[in-house]
């Protein structure tokens, strides 16, 4: 559990910076009319995908910044 929290914490800044882009893209891909279906889609698919992609965005950013030093 601690490892999962660490990964989420690491991804949190990129999640904060790009959350609107992820949710916009999620709606672009599929925008169901039923409110509960949309909520399940966003919470069950888009949000976990956003966490994973944000983790890798942060990793790439850190790698690029470390090369500048």
């Amino acid at each position: 559990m601690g490892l999962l929290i660490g990964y989420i914490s690491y991804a949190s800044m990129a999640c904060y910076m790009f959350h609107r882009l992820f949710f916009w893209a999620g709606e672009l891909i599929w925008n169901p009319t039923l409110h509960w279906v949309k909520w399940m889609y966003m919470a069950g698919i888009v949000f976990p995908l956003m966490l994973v992609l944000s983790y890798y965005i942060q990793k790439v950013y850190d790698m690029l910044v470390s090369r500048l030093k």
Side-chain angles (χ1 to χ4, degrees):
M1 184 66 162
L3 188 61
L4 179 63
I5 292 171
Y7 284 125
I8 292 171
S9 296
Y10 187 74
S12 65
M13 180 55 84
C15 281
Y16 171 72
M17 291 176 65
F18 299 113
H19 71 279
R20 288 185 178 253
L21 175 66
F22 285 110
F23 289 125
W24 172 78
E27 280 190 334
L28 209 64
I29 293 168
W30 186 46
N31 193 4
T33 55
L34 293 175
H35 181 71
W36 70 272
V37 175
K38 184 174 184 174
W39 192 92
M40 294 296 287
Y41 166 64
M42 289 293 182
I45 295 172
V46 175
F47 184 70
L49 188 60
M50 177 179 67
L51 288 174
V52 170
L53 292 175
S54 292
Y55 176 84
Y56 288 109
I57 289 170
Q58 189 67 44
K59 271 287 203 206
V60 169
Y61 174 79
D62 287 346
M63 182 188 66
L64 292 173
V65 168
S66 71
R67 288 185 181 187
L68 292 175
K69 292 182 182 181

